[in-house]
């Protein structure tokens, strides 16, 4: 999926937020912003994905600010916040009448934890709202059928914090299906996306294999991943890909099920998905 | 007042909206947007006001699209919508216990009609809400004292549609104070700002002198106005200036009373005004 015109101001707003937080000198902030504008003015928008545009902007930031993890504190914070919810989340799944459905719902609820786009969130309120939702019956049935017949699952994570919710879904899948699961996280800091250290912090690596995808942009472009990821992707019978970035970059292949909240009105318009809605989607 | 970093994505969003409306070819939209980015990448933000930044962006639009009035239809529409409200607005002022205060409130309510920033509006709902507000007692008393002692008023308009609300305030002032009033509008199309044709359409020119300011950007920079405006400004004992653009560009001189709704969170932060609030403000 190619970048919209509106991706430019959206990414700039993200970058300005980082500048306000990480750069004290106003002249320096200005200089970096102008550098980003100069860079963007040379990019053919119809030839990049939204995450690639973000990546170009962040490359300029790194050139000026060094190779920092701009969201380190927020990621640690959201991992901790999400871990504190685990007993509650486990109870919710245990008491659910449709455990698979609700474990999927919760995994998407976790996707609302996102410091990239302009979303403040209240986890508890979000949980209450999300648990009232219903996934598309058609898509859910497709997923249930596919997961039953699969041996190998590749689970592609999105954000820190969110991966705690992913862990619960993965635990549920392992307990109830005969699956070999590989979990993929990013190789380098990009926005608030989960890294191997986040997976370790929430002890995801204790019961499934966790690999780095090689992707250094939001989402996962298959022409930029490492061999280990590519092998896991090729061998997988089913792939679960979290978040809008993956939806924007991965091929819309039948074996991939996307779990996301639609955080962008323009993406919604272009795909017939509903803005603000939680979605389980696979090309059927 | 100098541009904030955040003015860049805000102005870009405005420009993209115009591109989507006025340019059909996606490649052409992209090309123009990249041209705007290139232009912005050369501007020292700390040396321009927000309206000057908008102006630079619109200059690129005009270079590609010709000297068009991008908001012509919207302006006509909002003039008509506001005119239809006149009997109701007149009745509100007639029945008010504090007519001057409420005529000021309504004039600010009119400022919510604005296609520039990201505001959809419902005029009737807005009126109900605004009429519950109270202007700062200190500022209102300052204004009342000043208007009583003044002979010449210069009234600087902002948007089309809004000027109908301005007309009611001006009528009230003329009826109740011994004032010679000059009204200033923009000289060329800029966003949805009122032009001389809007003033004529709502018959403002029937009972006060209406002049063009010479300003071709949002707001009014005194170093860019024409002689007629400068004379009116110098001779005025009191100036009423509408909208955020004027607040951002005119000097904060004691004789100017700004009437505006604070439409930008960054402006609010920088000035200690409250975001979304309606404000009568003069440097006291």
């Amino acid at each position: 999926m190619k970048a919209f015109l509106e991706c430019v101001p959206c990414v700039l707003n993200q970058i300005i937020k980082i500048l306000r937080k990480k750069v004290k000198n106003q002249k320096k902030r200005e200089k970096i912003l102008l550098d980003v504008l100069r860079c963007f003015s040379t990019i053919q928008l119809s030839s990049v994905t939204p995450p690639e545009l973000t990546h170009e902007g962040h490359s300029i930031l790194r050139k000026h600010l060094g190779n920092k993890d701009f969201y380190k504190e927020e990621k640690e914070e959201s991992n901790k916040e999400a871990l504190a919810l685990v007993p509650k989340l486990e109870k919710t799944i245990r008491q659910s009448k449709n455990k698979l459905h609700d474990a999927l719902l919760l995994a998407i609820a976790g996707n609302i934890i996102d410091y990239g786009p302009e979303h403040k969130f209240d986890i508890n309120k979000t949980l209450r709202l999300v648990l009232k939702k219903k996934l598309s019956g058609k898509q859910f049935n497709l997923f249930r059928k596919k997961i039953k017949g699969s041996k190998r699952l590749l689970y592609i994570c999105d954000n820190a914090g969110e991966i705690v919710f992913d862990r619960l879904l993965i635990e549920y899948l392992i307990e109830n299906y005969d699956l070999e699961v590989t979990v993929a996280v990013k190789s380098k800091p990009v926005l608030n996306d989960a890294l191997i250290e986040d997976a370790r912090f929430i002890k995801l690596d204790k019961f499934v294999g966790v690999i780095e995808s090689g992707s250094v942009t939001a989402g996962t472009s298959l022409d930029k991943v490492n061999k280990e990821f590519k092998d896991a992707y090729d061998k997988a019978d089913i792939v679960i890909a979290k978040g809008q970035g993956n939806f924007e970059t991965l091929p819309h292949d039948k074996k991939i099920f996307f779990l996301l909240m639609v955080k962008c009105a323009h993406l919604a318009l272009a795909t017939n998905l509903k803005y603000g809605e939680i979605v389980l989607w696979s090309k059927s």
Side-chain angles (χ1 to χ4, degrees), chain A:
Chain A
M1 182 168 300
K2 296 310 171 194
F4 303 96
L5 303 180
E6 289 82 356
C7 294
V8 173
C10 180
V11 172
L12 288 174
N13 270 320
Q14 268 178 36
I15 284 175
I16 290 169
K17 278 208 184 123
I18 297 174
L19 287 175
R20 289 220 177 268
K21 220 171 53 173
K22 301 291 180 190
V23 181
K24 287 207 175 128
N25 183 291
Q26 181 64 14
K27 285 238 170 294
K28 189 171 177 190
R29 287 177 183 160
E30 254 192 68
K31 188 181 156 24
I32 298 174
L33 180 61
L34 295 189
D35 257 17
V36 174
L37 290 174
R38 200 168 304 118
C39 161
F40 281 7
S41 76
T42 65
I43 295 175
Q44 258 209 311
L45 289 175
S46 50
S47 70
V48 293
T49 62
E52 280 165 354
L53 187 70
T54 303
H55 181 68
E56 292 298 328
H58 282 236
S59 302
I60 306 286
L61 281 180
R62 286 182 215 293
K63 205 179 80 182
H64 286 277
L65 305 179
N67 226 348
K68 281 181 191 141
D69 186 348
F70 301 122
Y71 291 85
K72 194 170 175 60
E73 295 82 16
E74 285 88 343
K75 288 192 290 186
E76 285 172 7
E77 187 62 28
S78 59
N79 283 333
K80 283 179 195 161
E81 276 185 38
L83 278 175
L85 288 169
V86 165
K88 189 177 169 173
L89 299 174
E90 285 180 336
K91 193 177 162 194
T92 300
I93 298 176
R94 208 163 50 236
Q95 294 180 341
S96 162
K97 286 177 186 159
N98 194 345
K99 294 183 172 56
L100 177 60
H101 181 273
D102 288 353
L104 286 165
L105 272 189
L106 286 179
I108 309 177
N111 184 241
I112 296 165
I113 303 172
D114 190 340
Y115 294 88
E118 303 274 311
H119 286 265
K120 290 192 177 176
F121 63 95
D122 171 333
I123 295 184
N124 284 305
K125 195 177 157 197
T126 301
L127 287 179
R128 279 196 305 277
L129 285 174
V130 167
L131 284 167
K132 287 181 191 160
K133 304 268 184 191
K134 236 183 134 39
L135 298 168
S136 144
K138 184 185 160 199
Q139 291 284 350
F140 179 63
N141 286 333
L142 263 177
F143 178 81
R144 194 165 41 185
K145 207 171 148 190
K146 183 77 176 169
I147 197 93
K148 262 189 196 162
S150 294
K151 289 279 167 221
R152 286 197 185 88
L153 162 67
L154 171 63
Y155 195 107
I156 307 176
C157 293
D158 186 11
N159 304 325
E162 180 181 351
I163 52 169
V164 173
F165 295 73
D166 296 328
R167 195 189 83 185
L168 293 176
L169 172 58
I170 294 165
E171 284 176 321
Y172 177 81
L173 293 175
I174 289 177
E175 282 164 23
N176 292 280
Y177 299 88
D178 185 19
L179 281 170
E180 184 188 307
V181 181
T182 303
V183 174
V185 292
K186 292 284 182 306
S187 295
K188 280 188 179 174
V190 44
L191 298 170
N192 61 330
D193 287 14
L195 298 173
I196 199 91
E197 67 203 48
D198 299 295
R200 284 180 189 141
F201 184 77
I202 69 146
K203 302 194 168 30
L204 189 55
D205 59 324
K206 296 292 178 208
F207 60 97
V208 285
V210 180
I211 62 171
E212 293 181 332
S213 65
S215 176
V216 295
T217 69
T220 313
S221 298
L222 287 184
D223 55 348
K224 304 273 175 55
V225 296
N226 60 30
K227 190 173 176 317
E228 193 175 13
F229 179 89
K230 192 64 177 48
D231 286 348
Y233 180 84
D234 289 339
K235 282 182 194 155
D237 310 301
I238 181 170
V239 177
I240 294 176
K242 295 289 306 282
Q244 193 173 294
N246 281 321
F247 183 75
E248 289 169 344
T249 47
L250 281 163
H252 289 182
D253 184 287
K254 278 188 180 181
K255 77 173 177 178
I256 310 188
F257 284 82
F258 295 95
L259 286 181
L260 69 148
M261 182 179 165
V262 183
K263 293 176 181 175
C264 164
H266 306 285
L267 177 84
L269 263 177
T271 54
N272 275 331
L273 296 174
K274 213 172 140 192
Y275 177 57
E277 204 44 272
I278 57 172
V279 175
L280 163 69
W281 187 89
S282 176
K283 187 181 176 183
S284 55

